[in-house]
Amino acid sequence: MRGLKKSALQSGIALLETLMAISVMGFGLIAISKFQGNMVRNTSFVHEQNLAIKAAESKIEEMRSFQTLAVTTGMTSYDGIVTGSDTVTSGVVTFNRSWTVTPRTSPGLFKEVIVSVTWNDAQNLGRTVQISSLIQGFDPKTLASVIRSYAPPGNPVQPFNRVLKVPIPAIIDPTDPTKSIYTPPGAPSVNIRLDNTTGLVTSLNGIATTNTTFLLSGYIGFGSGSTSPTVTPTSNIDFRLVNAATGIPLSGYTCWDDSATTKAYAGYITYTCVVETNGTILIGGVDVPVWSGRMRLTLGGATAEPYGWGLTSSTDRICRYTGTENTYLNIQDTLASQNYIAIQGNRYCPSGTTLFQP
């Protein structure tokens, strides 16, 4: 009897131990299951959070890549950076994106941007990420000149994967990404097509160029104050390229400006010319197409020296920035920032400029 009782007791203890082991294992499996579930949820949240951060960053980069300061049809602009919202879908998640833009003027001109992205996760819990940045109101064209000045040798490439000779505001040709299309300020119906590798003009208003053709562009500023010039940003100022020796107008060039239209930059005339080659030079045994000539500014349609300046109808002077070419000789590249300033005739040219006309 004692043996049977002892055997039964031992069996009961063994059963109890088994039940306890099963219980412990069950709790362990439940804990592991919860842990794995949390890991899956956390992994899903981290993935969604990364997508939300990318959505916020992409909006800031979109704002930062403006092409012009003033609002211009067909271009992104600094003035167009304003408060707004939209939605972005990635996979099965829809992100609600909103941004607030606060203009600042000190120190310098910039805008403070805060982008918030909200969404509901897999457990339908509301989630939010927020990033902020400052966007400086820096003229892209001036920036292009700075980049051009400091471009490292052998790497003259600007954003959009094209050479610096292509103007920043030009858009990539949607039908051919190796080309860009540029519409000069003041000429909304003109389309200049450029090669992204060479910067040369390949067509004008859809008509292919038959000769090597270059761009020439810049700005005219105007003196201010009590001694302002008689000419203004709306005056009838045109641009003429002439033979440097004879003064006879060159053939094979066309210029446009925004003197009679909405300004690309308030207070300045922006001009653009396309110039065909009119000669060659021998470089490394190869004939390289070039052009030579002299820029003259004309006033009121004048066709002969001094082209409207120095006459009784205008005592104003035109000064040329010293970094600007005077007589162009054997030019084999695009020229930008060829800039001038108009002043009253009884004033001296400002520092950094030299008298140009009359």
Side-chain angles (χ1 to χ4, degrees):
M1 291 296 291
R2 288 181 180 176
L4 290 174
K5 289 180 180 180
K6 184 177 180 181
S7 176
L9 179 60
Q10 290 175 340
S11 297
I13 292 173
L15 178 60
L16 181 60
E17 289 176 344
T18 301
L19 291 173
M20 290 178 65
I22 291 173
S23 298
V24 170
M25 184 180 296
F27 285 123
L29 291 174
I30 292 173
I32 291 173
S33 176
K34 288 184 176 180
F35 175 73
Q36 289 179 330
N38 289 335
M39 282 189 63
V40 170
R41 284 191 292 273
N42 289 339
T43 300
S44 176
F45 168 68
V46 169
H47 176 66
E48 293 172 356
Q49 186 180 52
N50 288 337
L51 292 176
I53 292 173
K54 288 182 179 179
E57 290 176 339
S58 68
K59 186 61 190 180
I60 287 180
E61 289 307 311
E62 176 187 325
M63 294 178 180
R64 200 185 300 281
S65 62
F66 60 89
Q67 299 168 293
T68 181
L69 290 178
V71 174
T72 305
T73 302
M75 296 183 184
T76 56
S77 67
Y78 178 78
D79 288 348
I81 301 175
V82 295
T83 299
S85 63
D86 63 9
T87 58
V88 178
T89 300
S90 181
V92 296
V93 183
T94 297
F95 299 97
N96 299 306
R97 189 169 60 176
S98 62
W99 53 92
T100 58
V101 178
T102 305
R104 307 291 188 191
T105 57
S106 179
L109 178 66
F110 66 94
K111 292 184 177 182
E112 181 182 1
V113 179
I114 300 175
V115 180
S116 298
V117 178
T118 62
W119 77 100
N120 289 335
D121 65 11
Q123 274 62 55
N124 203 34
L125 296 176
R127 303 287 189 176
T128 302
V129 297
Q130 186 178 87
I131 63 174
S132 61
S133 185
L134 301 177
I135 299 177
Q136 187 175 6
F138 199 96
D139 184 348
K141 294 180 180 178
T142 303
L143 179 60
S145 298
V146 173
I147 295 174
R148 184 177 290 109
S149 299
Y150 291 94
N155 186 31
V157 178
Q158 71 179 40
F160 312 115
N161 196 32
R162 61 193 184 194
V163 294
L164 292 165
K165 304 169 190 177
V166 178
I168 289 280
I171 62 172
I172 298 295
D173 187 340
T175 63
D176 183 358
T178 67
K179 305 293 190 300
S180 291
I181 298 175
Y182 179 56
T183 298
S189 61
V190 174
N191 289 312
I192 302 173
R193 203 161 181 249
L194 304 115
D195 186 282
N196 288 338
T197 301
T198 65
L200 295 176
V201 177
T202 62
S203 70
L204 180 60
N205 290 335
I207 301 175
T209 54
T210 56
N211 298 318
T212 302
T213 305
F214 310 87
L215 275 183
L216 172 69
S217 62
Y219 309 90
I220 300 179
F222 298 84
S224 60
S226 59
T227 53
S228 299
T230 58
V231 294
T232 70
T234 58
S235 297
N236 179 19
I237 298 176
D238 293 313
F239 305 84
R240 187 178 299 274
L241 288 173
V242 301
N243 183 291
T246 65
I248 297 174
L250 299 179
S251 60
Y253 80 92
T254 307
C255 296
W256 304 270
D257 67 79
D258 60 2
S259 58
T261 62
T262 301
K263 299 287 181 292
Y265 299 96
Y268 295 85
I269 290 178
T270 302
Y271 74 90
T272 306
C273 303
V274 293
V275 189
E276 292 184 10
T277 177
N278 55 19
T280 60
I281 58 174
L282 192 64
I283 300 179
V286 178
D287 284 328
V288 177
V290 297
W291 72 272
S292 300
R294 179 174 170 82
M295 170 70 87
R296 303 301 282 166
L297 277 61
T298 75
L299 177 62
T303 58
E305 291 276 13
Y307 296 108
W309 271 278
L311 303 178
T312 55
S313 58
S314 174
T315 58
D316 297 330
R317 292 178 170 182
I318 295 294
C319 304
R320 172 180 61 85
Y321 283 88
T322 52
T324 303
E325 298 287 349
N326 187 0
T327 296
Y328 299 104
L329 180 63
N330 296 331
I331 302 300
Q332 52 180 308
D333 208 345
T334 285
L335 293 179
S337 297
Q338 305 298 288
N339 304 330
Y340 306 86
I341 183 170
I343 62 171
Q344 194 177 57
N346 61 359
R347 297 183 65 193
Y348 293 104
C349 287
S351 175
T353 69
T354 186
L355 183 62
F356 184 66
Q357 286 178 242

